[in-house]
């Protein structure tokens, strides 16, 4: 029986939305139900625009628009965070979570308006559904947010509009509309929060660790946009241009980002980092272990490229070889989650900065490493790397790290959430490191029964679920802070739903799956 995978993907997302709605049950959860219905209608319009080539910008081919799963991430994330913060009595983060929810809904509505505005003939029924959903969301926003919070949402929307124009113009075929919504929307929210806190330094509070990520994200964005525009007018492969790139990068880091970060943490970042890393011997041991794994990953890349040079020029890394990196990342993150999550937080942010800088060097062909990186990474390209950037490794890092970065520490008593919430920091390890890896390996080598309309197999999905359940049992043994109480059935159901989403989605699963598992476990 032939089945449309887009319908099944939307059905899984709807099931997640209804799970959140049944637990939270407030005005915003009703709006999330209305939002997923209108996103379902709008997704068909986006898909038709992509097939006809009338979508204004060039999006990633061989994938649907992904509007439904992407539209619901920020609203659902805000809803579950608000529920946890409300239960812990943290009013500030409860209001902040409401802003996250409404901002996510507004960004999704804006993307819907774009599709409806350029679709010809005008889709009357879809316009009515979108209008009703938009009216409900606007009315709820008026009733629940203060004027300053509404202004904050509008600021995020404004940044999103301009940033989308820049990113989608400079990076054609890198994203689907849904991935652009998720990535650019998240960056827009981070930029707005960083600007807001920079203008109100007297209100800056909290753990200094939490300020590294916003500064790195904004700094990387500024660096990329600046050189992308500059190298439109000059050649980037010469030694002069390469020297200028390195000098301007040093100026940005030492002259802007370091002083900016010192305003938030109250000390020079390098001195603070030295004290942080050398706090105890365990941190030094973890760092040494991670350096060893980084060297091992580099050896895998060099070995695979040596095989390509000695064999066929068309040789590409197999699925099993790609999953070696997933196993290395699991071996990296699990000890950090068990023994020192703060160090893992800072190290993952630093790794993100290094990955983005190396990708700029490769993309602009900056000497002396630019051309070498192009040759080494070409082996690991797949159909998702159809644009000028290679983002697969960045998505893997984000998928593993986002549950750690998003963990609601201020709303968690003693830094630990009860029940299934104890597994929230492990969402990336479970969904990407274990689930996606096992599904790909077993599905490609042993799978025979395919899910209708997809290349994914039933055997791959089933082994993925079983492997994640076994991984949960292992985490219970090694991490004494986890206390699941009687939430085993909820955990199994959440893992199964996310495994089904992996089977049917054509979006970047390394990015999408951890976020949905994070949302379900946080309930």
């Amino acid at each position: 029986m032939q089945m449309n995978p887009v319908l099944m993907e939307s059905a899984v997302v709807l099931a997640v939305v209804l799970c959140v709605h049944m637990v939270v049950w407030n005005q915003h959860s009703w709006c999330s139900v209305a939002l997923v219905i209108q996103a379902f209608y709008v997704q068909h319009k986006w898909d038709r625009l992509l097939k006809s080539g009338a979508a204004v910008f060039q999006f990633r081919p061989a994938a649907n628009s992904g509007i439904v799963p992407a539209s619901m991430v920020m609203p659902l994330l805000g809803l579950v965070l608000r529920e946890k913060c409300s239960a812990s009595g943290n009013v500030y983060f409860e209001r902040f979570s409401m802003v996250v929810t409404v901002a996510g809904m507004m960004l999704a509505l804006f993307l819907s308006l774009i599709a409806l505005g350029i679709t010809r003939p005008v889709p009357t029924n879809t316009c009515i559904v979108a209008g009703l959903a938009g009216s409900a969301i606007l009315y709820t926003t008026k009733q629940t947010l203060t004027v300053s919070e509404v202004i904050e949402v509008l600021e995020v929307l404004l940044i999103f509009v301009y940033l989308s124009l820049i990113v989608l113009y400079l990076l054609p075929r890198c994203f689907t509309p849904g991935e652009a919504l998720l990535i650019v929307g998240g960056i827009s929210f981070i930029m707005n929060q960083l600007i807001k806190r920079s203008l109100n330094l007297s209100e800056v509070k909290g753990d200094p660790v939490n300020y590294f990520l916003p500064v790195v994200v904004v700094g990387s964005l500024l660096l990329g946009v600046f050189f992308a525009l500059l190298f439109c007018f000059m050649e980037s492969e010469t030694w002069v241009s390469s020297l200028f790139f390195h000098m301007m990068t040093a100026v940005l880091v030492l002259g802007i980002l370091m002083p900016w970060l010192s305003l938030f943490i109250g000390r020079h970042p390098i001195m603070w980092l030295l004290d942080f890393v050398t706090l105890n011997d365990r941190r030094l041991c973890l760092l040494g272990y991670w350096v060893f794994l980084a060297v091992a990953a580099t050896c895998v890349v060099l070995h695979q490229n040596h095989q390509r040079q000695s064999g066929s020029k068309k040789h590409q890394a197999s699925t099993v070889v790609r999953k070696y990196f997933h196993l290395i990342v699991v071996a990296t993150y699990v000890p950090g989650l068990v023994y020192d999550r703060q160090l893992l937080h800072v190290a993952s942010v630093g790794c993100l900065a290094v990955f983005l800088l190396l990708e700029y060097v490769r993309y602009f062909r900056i000497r002396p490493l630019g051309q070498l990186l192009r040759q080494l990474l070409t082996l690991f390209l797949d159909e998702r790397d159809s644009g000028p950037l290679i983002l697969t490794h960045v998505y893997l890092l984000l998928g593993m790290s986002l549950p750690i970065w998003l963990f609601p520490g201020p709303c968690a008593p003693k830094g630990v959430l009860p029940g299934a919430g104890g597994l929230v920091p492990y969402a990336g390890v479970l969904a990407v490191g274990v689930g996606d890896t096992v599904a790909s390996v077993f599905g490609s080598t042993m799978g025979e029964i395919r899910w209708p309309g997809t290349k994914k197999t039933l055997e791959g999905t089933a082994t993925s679920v079983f492997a994640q359940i076994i991984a949960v049992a292992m985490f219970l043994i090694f991490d004494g802070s986890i206390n699941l109480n009687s939430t085993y059935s909820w955990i199994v159901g959440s893992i199964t739903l996310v495994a089904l989403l992996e089977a049917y989605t054509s979006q970047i699963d390394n990015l999408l799956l951890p976020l949905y598992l994070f949302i379900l476990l946080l309930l």
Side-chain angles (χ1 to χ4, degrees):
M1 181 182 65
Q2 192 66 24
M3 187 178 295
N4 189 347
V6 177
L7 294 179
M8 291 302 301
E9 178 190 54
S10 301
V12 174
V13 174
L14 177 61
V16 175
V17 172
L18 292 178
C19 288
V20 174
H21 175 58
M22 295 303 293
V23 173
V24 178
W25 197 272
N26 58 25
Q27 289 174 289
H28 289 128
S29 70
W30 281 104
C31 288
S32 69
V33 175
L35 183 66
V36 73
I37 294 173
Q38 76 87 31
F40 176 75
Y41 275 82
V42 171
Q43 174 157 302
H44 291 286
K45 306 304 177 237
W46 265 113
D47 290 342
R48 193 169 70 183
L49 289 169
L50 293 178
K51 290 178 181 178
S52 64
V56 182
F57 293 103
Q58 298 181 56
F59 292 99
R60 183 165 66 87
N64 63 58
S65 60
I67 295 297
V68 171
S71 295
M72 302 313 303
V73 170
M74 279 185 67
L76 294 180
L77 185 61
L79 284 172
V80 295
L81 287 174
R82 180 190 177 189
E83 187 71 11
K84 287 299 177 185
C85 294
S86 176
S88 65
N90 193 321
V91 179
Y92 174 81
F93 279 95
E94 182 182 354
R95 302 298 304 182
F96 175 78
S97 301
M98 291 173 64
V99 174
V100 173
T101 299
V102 175
M105 291 180 178
M106 291 300 179
L107 296 180
L109 285 176
F110 174 76
L111 206 61
S112 301
L113 288 176
I114 293 177
L116 297 177
I118 61 180
T119 299
R120 293 294 181 271
V122 176
T124 306
N125 293 337
T126 306
C127 287
I128 293 174
V129 172
L132 291 174
S135 299
I137 293 171
L138 290 174
Y139 177 78
T140 303
T141 300
K142 177 180 178 297
Q143 296 294 316
T144 56
L145 296 190
T146 64
V147 174
S148 61
E149 289 168 343
V150 171
I151 293 174
E152 189 171 347
V153 170
L154 294 177
E155 290 169 350
V156 173
L157 184 58
L158 183 64
I159 295 173
F160 175 80
V161 172
Y162 286 103
L163 198 57
S164 298
L165 295 175
I166 295 172
V167 171
L168 294 178
Y169 174 76
L170 294 176
L171 302 174
R173 304 181 308 281
C174 282
F175 313 103
T176 65
E179 292 161 2
L181 170 64
L182 199 57
I183 295 169
V184 180
I187 294 175
S188 302
F189 196 88
I190 289 174
M191 285 186 65
N192 184 65
Q193 290 299 311
L194 188 63
I195 294 171
K196 177 184 174 183
R197 281 163 171 71
S198 300
L199 297 176
N200 297 279
L201 290 174
S202 59
E203 299 180 6
V204 170
K205 54 183 178 181
D207 194 337
V209 168
N210 297 326
Y211 293 104
F212 278 82
L213 178 62
V215 172
V216 165
V217 169
V218 174
S220 301
L221 180 68
L222 292 176
L223 185 69
V225 172
F226 173 76
F227 282 109
L229 296 175
L230 178 66
F231 289 141
C232 287
F233 304 99
M234 61 183 295
E235 182 63 45
S236 63
E237 300 180 36
T238 64
W239 275 109
V240 174
S241 298
S242 298
L243 181 61
F244 182 71
F245 175 89
H246 296 306
M247 290 178 58
M248 289 303 299
T249 301
V251 168
L252 176 68
V253 173
L254 299 177
I256 298 178
L257 298 186
M258 287 291 185
W260 200 356
L261 190 55
S262 66
L263 294 176
F264 295 115
I265 64 178
R267 292 182 59 190
H268 193 283
I270 294 179
M271 300 305 299
W272 182 91
L273 196 60
L274 286 174
D275 291 341
F276 178 80
V277 168
T278 57
L279 182 64
N280 53 51
D281 292 337
R282 176 180 290 175
R283 289 188 171 176
L284 294 175
C285 292
L286 277 174
L287 285 175
Y289 171 67
W290 289 340
V291 170
F292 168 76
L293 290 177
V295 172
T298 304
C299 291
V300 171
V301 174
L302 296 175
H303 175 68
Q304 290 298 316
N305 275 272
H306 175 72
Q307 283 190 332
R308 179 178 63 172
Q309 291 174 0
S310 60
S312 171
K313 293 296 182 180
K314 296 182 179 180
H315 172 72
Q316 287 292 116
S318 65
T319 299
V320 175
V321 170
R322 288 194 182 95
K323 299 310 173 182
Y324 287 162
F325 296 101
H326 285 235
L327 295 177
I328 291 174
V329 172
V330 169
T332 301
Y333 273 72
V334 171
L337 287 167
V338 173
Y339 294 113
D340 199 327
R341 294 180 185 177
Q342 276 201 324
L343 179 64
L344 181 61
H345 184 124
V346 174
S348 57
V349 172
C351 193
L352 176 65
V354 172
F355 276 15
L356 292 176
L357 180 61
L358 290 178
E359 181 56 24
Y360 289 153
V361 170
R362 185 205 66 83
Y363 174 60
F364 295 122
R365 294 184 174 89
I366 301 299
R367 298 190 181 197
L369 296 177
Q371 193 59 39
L372 176 63
L373 288 173
R374 278 179 174 264
Q375 295 172 359
L376 292 177
L377 296 180
T378 301
L379 175 66
F380 300 95
L381 293 178
D382 60 17
E383 67 277 2
R384 294 176 297 183
D385 294 310
S386 55
L389 294 185
I390 299 177
L391 296 172
T392 304
H393 57 297
V394 179
Y395 288 140
L396 176 59
L397 175 66
L398 289 176
M400 301 290 287
S401 304
L402 281 172
I404 302 166
W405 298 341
L406 296 173
F407 182 78
C411 303
K414 299 180 181 180
V416 180
L417 293 172
L423 291 172
V424 162
Y426 291 90
V429 174
L430 287 172
V432 175
V434 177
D436 184 46
T437 302
V438 172
S440 297
V441 173
F442 277 84
S444 61
T445 57
M446 301 171 56
E448 295 182 359
I449 305 174
R450 298 193 183 279
W451 289 105
T454 75
K455 297 180 180 179
K456 306 296 178 65
T457 63
L458 176 62
E459 293 88 347
T461 303
T463 52
S464 167
V465 173
F466 288 134
Q468 290 180 74
I469 294 172
I470 294 171
V472 169
M474 297 296 291
F475 298 154
L476 283 171
I477 295 173
F478 291 102
D479 192 343
S481 65
I482 302 175
N483 182 15
L484 299 183
N485 299 327
S486 58
T487 59
Y488 297 101
S489 59
W490 180 266
I491 293 170
V492 174
S494 301
I495 289 173
T496 304
L497 269 179
V498 174
L500 287 173
L501 182 61
E502 188 273 338
Y504 280 102
T505 188
S506 62
Q507 306 303 297
I508 300 296
D509 49 7
N510 288 349
L511 190 63
L512 204 60
L513 302 184
L515 291 172
Y516 272 97
L517 187 58
F518 179 93
I519 290 166
L520 288 169
L521 293 177
L522 200 57
L523 285 175

